[in-house]
Amino acid sequence: MKLSPTLQLAQDLIRRPSVTPDDAGCQDLMMSRLAPLGFEGESMRFGDVDNLWARKGNEGPVLAFAGHTDVVPTGPEKNWSHPPFEAGIHGGYLFGRGAADMKGSLAAFVTACERFVQRHPHHRGSIALLITSDEEGPAHSGTVKVVETLEARGEKMDWCLIGEPSSTHQVGDVIKNGRRGSLHGYLTVHGIQGHVAYPHLAENPVHRAAPALTALAAEQWDQGNEFFPATTFQVTRVEAGTGSNVIPGELLVHFNFRYCTENTAESLQTRVREILDGHGLRYDLQWHLSGEPFLTARGALVEAAQDAIRSVTGRDTELSTSGGTSDGRFIAPTGAQVVELGPLNATIHKIDECVKADDLDTLSEIYEQILVKLLA
């Protein structure tokens, strides 16, 4: 069976076991295909993370494809129907860790660029690729560092297409044109440790905090808007106690907000403290902001993506801001329009991760048409 260039490249990428933060040579492989097209590659290594900024052209506008070569661990390989780094095609599906998230998209980026440059050698503007090996991990030394470097030298992206697996039932049926923000809270409620038989000599922080946690869980933080669902609050960890006869002296509670543009990190922090203070708790509270929400409204990039999907597949696409965070949170604040468009997300991070083989060729055609609509 003769495989398309996109499938062959996807297999070559999957066969490199690039578990975060190891790139395992994936970026070099991609660059070996991009250099003959006129791309100039710049390796940016921060700590143990490899990043690639490859660009063809010196003028704007700049359309950048962004993605990651790193993958999550496979879990027990004995549980896979097909070896996770073999990249075999079975029953019309390409199996392997990263097939959907997101080496299939990386391959489609490259082959779309190859065809576009061959057919439009004198295209306007610039094409770029921003590739990291730190998206699935801490994300401290990947895209965020590359963006900081580009910003420091005044190098801007006008449009950025991220190859995250956005599709639900058919390739291209969903585009992510934004993401919710993610805010973590780390709460320690202080009590007085004591013997359970003498509760009057102690203060149980679990009992004291329970009404406040109930209030936080019941609070309506906002009602969402046209593009975002309402902000949600979820407790993710509760820990207290040292033994069955001991009233704990402290209660540890971790929680998370997934929030929309109707709130800010600061407004949520203020409201949480008001509720905790209203219940008379003695507490310490630390925060970690994983990313602010971002939104790319309807405009050139969204319209080009929708038109490309329609021209290749004949279907209309849904705009969505659902799901977790992505590296778009680092790129959108620069002023770039950002969308995420990739294969189906049904098997990402799972045992037997796979993608329909034909979908990668379809995705490559869609990417090429986006290039045509914006830069031809």
Side-chain angles (χ1 to χ4, degrees), residues 199-276:
H200 58 289
L201 300 178
E203 180 183 335
N204 194 319
V206 179
H207 296 178
R208 292 296 305 275
L213 294 178
T214 298
L216 289 168
E219 181 78 359
Q220 185 173 32
W221 304 95
D222 55 55
Q223 296 184 349
N225 55 36
E226 177 187 1
F227 293 101
F228 288 95
T231 293
T232 61
F233 167 90
Q234 288 293 317
V235 172
T236 58
R237 180 184 179 189
V238 178
E239 183 178 315
T242 59
S244 58
N245 289 322
V246 181
I247 293 172
E250 287 187 341
L251 169 68
L252 175 69
V253 181
H254 292 182
F255 57 86
N256 175 265
F257 284 101
R258 292 301 166 104
Y259 67 102
C260 73
T261 49
E262 298 298 306
N263 264 294
T264 66
E266 292 75 17
S267 68
L268 293 172
Q269 292 172 17
T270 297
R271 290 173 66 184
V272 168
R273 288 191 177 276
E274 288 174 349
I275 291 172
L276 296 177

Side-chain angles (χ1 to χ4, degrees), residues 54 63 94 113 179 190 250 265 302 318 324 352 362 369 372:
L63 169 59
L94 171 63
C113 288
R179 292 279 190 163
H190 302 292
E250 287 187 341
V302 169
E318 172 191 349
D352 286 339
T362 300
Q369 288 304 308
V372 169

